[in-house]
Amino acid sequence: LSSENKLLVSAKLQDWLDNEINDHLSSIKNKINDLGDSQIRAITFNCLENLGSFPVDDFRDFIKNIDSEKKLLLSKLGIRIGAKFFFMPNLMKKKSIELNSILWKTYNDFSSGEFLPIPKDGRVSFLSKVQMPKDYWQSIGYICINNFAFRIDIFEKIFYLARKKIKNGPFLETSELMNPIGCNSDQLRDILIYCGYKSINLYDDKKIYYSKP
């Protein structure tokens, strides 16, 4: 190709990329300078910088004392507050996940002989034989434990159900906890251990969960 045609092709590709991001990742281009509260700006910046999800660890005091007005503002920005993560549901759709995986790979200059692990048809969980860094999974809105990857928003739902159950004391594994995330008994155990619970195996192979002292 001539130099002129190379420039035309490059410009066409850039236009295509910009349109893809505008159509499927518009949230990450939100302007945050107009957000008055410094904590809201920090949360929003971290969520956008990490392509849609970010651990709540550094903001626990803020979350504990957050008022309804600030919570509403985060909601309008597309950010949800979970027990372990801030997350943006709009960036957990099939096309958004695929684009985020490519952006992560490009930014981190990551090379591997394997295809990037992503869910088929936006499934909420899947098995991955490919070992990936923790921040890769977070960039596509997933957590991966022992090769079982599951979407952060569904994880937060399971964690919420577990916290409700533990209020009445130790609780048994149930389909109510496994079905939303599509996991088996052992995978549920890994998830709930990640949540901070311990388990005991009963005589019928069921597991009972309790809080760490």
Side-chain angles (χ1 to χ4, degrees):
L1 292 176
S2 66
S3 296
E4 181 181 355
N5 284 334
K6 286 180 180 178
L7 289 173
L8 289 173
V9 170
S10 178
K12 185 71 174 178
L13 287 171
Q14 188 63 56
D15 285 343
W16 173 83
L17 180 60
D18 289 343
N19 288 332
E20 287 290 285
I21 291 175
N22 284 330
D23 290 344
H24 303 289
L25 300 176
S26 58
S27 299
I28 69 171
K29 301 182 75 175
N30 285 346
K31 295 180 180 179
I32 64 173
N33 292 334
D34 297 335
L35 300 175
D37 188 275
S38 61
Q39 293 283 63
I40 295 289
R41 285 202 308 274
I43 291 168
T44 304
F45 173 81
N46 280 293
C47 282
L48 301 184
E49 186 78 359
N50 290 278
L51 302 177
S53 59
F54 187 74
V56 303
D57 298 341
D58 293 336
F59 296 92
R60 291 198 180 278
D61 289 340
F62 172 76
I63 293 171
K64 185 178 180 181
N65 300 303
I66 191 171
D67 58 37
S68 57
E69 183 179 347
K70 291 176 181 176
K71 188 177 290 187
L72 179 61
L73 177 56
L74 283 174
S75 180
K76 287 181 177 179
L77 291 166
I79 299 172
R80 303 292 180 266
I81 305 172
K84 281 189 175 290
F85 291 91
F86 298 105
F87 59 94
M88 303 178 75
N90 285 341
L91 297 185
M92 294 181 177
K93 299 174 182 177
K94 180 179 183 294
K95 190 67 175 182
S96 302
I97 290 170
E98 292 171 352
L99 282 172
N100 279 343
S101 69
I102 295 170
L103 290 175
W104 179 91
K105 180 183 185 299
T106 304
Y107 180 79
N108 290 279
D109 194 22
F110 182 82
S111 60
S112 169
E114 304 284 351
F115 289 112
L116 291 174
I118 55 174
K120 293 182 179 179
D121 302 320
R123 292 179 182 175
V124 301
S125 65
F126 65 101
L127 289 172
S128 172
K129 296 179 181 179
V130 183
Q131 299 297 318
M132 297 293 292
K134 182 180 177 180
D135 60 332
Y136 167 77
W137 294 111
Q138 186 177 305
S139 75
I140 66 168
Y142 280 68
I143 301 166
C144 189
I145 302 175
N146 291 335
N147 299 324
F148 181 64
F150 44 93
R151 214 167 67 196
I152 284 174
D153 58 335
I154 306 301
F155 159 76
E156 290 287 357
K157 179 180 180 179
I158 299 305
F159 197 6
Y160 170 75
L161 292 173
R163 295 199 309 276
K164 283 181 64 178
K165 289 178 178 294
I166 202 66
K167 288 179 180 179
N168 297 317
F171 59 91
L172 288 169
E173 63 182 18
T174 63
S175 58
E176 180 187 12
L177 292 169
M178 289 186 275
N179 288 348
I181 209 163
C183 67
N184 60 33
S185 176
D186 289 338
Q187 290 163 342
L188 179 66
R189 177 199 61 211
D190 291 340
I191 293 169
L192 292 180
I193 288 174
Y194 177 74
C195 292
Y197 298 108
K198 286 189 173 182
S199 69
I200 297 174
N201 289 334
L202 302 179
Y203 66 92
D204 56 357
D205 290 334
K206 279 190 173 292
K207 299 176 181 65
I208 188 169
Y209 292 92
Y210 61 98
S211 294
K212 292 181 179 179

